[in-house]
Amino acid sequence: MAFVNELIPENERSEIPFDKFKPFRRTNIDEKYLDKWTIDKERGCYFIQVKKFGPEEPRYFGGSWKGQSFKFSAMPTRTSTLEGKYHLLWEIWASDISYPLETCKMNTLSENEAFRAELLTLLAEGLITFGLHYNDATYDQVTVEIGESK
């Protein structure tokens, strides 16, 4: 199964650790975003946009995979062609992905690096799905670039 964008079922909302998804800046989560998620049920991975500041600012997300919560930010850049096609580029940075310290303590460094690499691959796939109808627009192409740091 692939990632899909859908409304969060009411019976699953209570299991989501929203308190762990607070954005990196010292702000609160935007309640208006907490009704939809991008989820791959087969692989047990989801993420939710939890904060958006402005049009030229990163978007902040929280999610869960393999029973571990995580958060990350991604910067969207929108462009259009003369033919009227729209492209959305997401930039995410490996250094921005964070997950609980308990996870790091339970694993070796190589296990943590493998977890992070696999999670980055999943997030890239998920952001393509999330971005297809980003901001109520439809994009002809969505791509994701992954960097080590900003």
Side-chain angles (χ1 to χ4, degrees):
M1 181 179 237
F3 279 95
V4 295
N5 295 320
E6 65 179 29
L7 292 174
I8 301 172
E10 205 53 47
N11 62 329
E12 295 189 44
R13 288 181 64 77
S14 62
E15 298 176 28
I16 298 173
F18 290 111
D19 58 319
K20 294 184 179 182
F21 298 162
K22 189 172 180 177
F24 302 111
R25 297 182 185 179
R26 297 171 195 256
T27 61
N28 293 322
I29 290 173
D30 280 342
E31 296 287 327
K32 66 183 173 186
Y33 298 118
L34 304 185
D35 62 339
K36 298 177 197 149
W37 61 7
T38 301
I39 184 168
D40 183 327
K41 292 179 183 174
E42 188 174 286
R43 294 185 283 182
C45 182
Y46 71 83
F47 62 86
I48 301 163
Q49 179 176 304
V50 296
K51 190 72 175 180
K52 169 178 138 178
F53 289 97
E56 303 301 320
E57 295 284 328
R59 304 305 183 249
Y60 295 87
F61 300 88
S64 179
W65 179 54
K66 291 187 175 183
Q68 301 297 319
S69 60
F70 60 86
K71 56 187 178 179
F72 70 101
S73 64
M75 183 68 183
T77 304
R78 294 168 279 225
T79 58
S80 61
T81 65
L82 294 174
E83 297 83 32
K85 297 194 180 279
Y86 295 95
H87 177 242
L88 179 64
L89 167 67
W90 287 102
E91 293 178 274
I92 57 177
W93 297 276
S95 61
D96 274 355
I97 295 178
S98 64
Y99 43 91
L101 188 57
E102 312 84 71
T103 303
C104 299
K105 289 179 180 176
M106 293 186 310
N107 299 322
T108 66
L109 182 59
S110 63
E111 288 171 328
N112 283 333
E113 288 172 358
F115 179 90
R116 182 180 295 255
E118 198 172 346
L119 180 57
L120 272 169
T121 300
L122 282 173
L123 295 179
E125 289 178 37
L127 278 171
I128 289 170
T129 299
F130 177 82
L132 287 174
H133 302 287
Y134 176 70
N135 273 2
D136 298 321
T138 300
Y139 292 89
D140 298 293
Q141 182 182 11
V142 179
T143 56
V144 177
E145 289 182 1
I146 300 171
E148 282 304 309
S149 62
K150 295 179 194 175

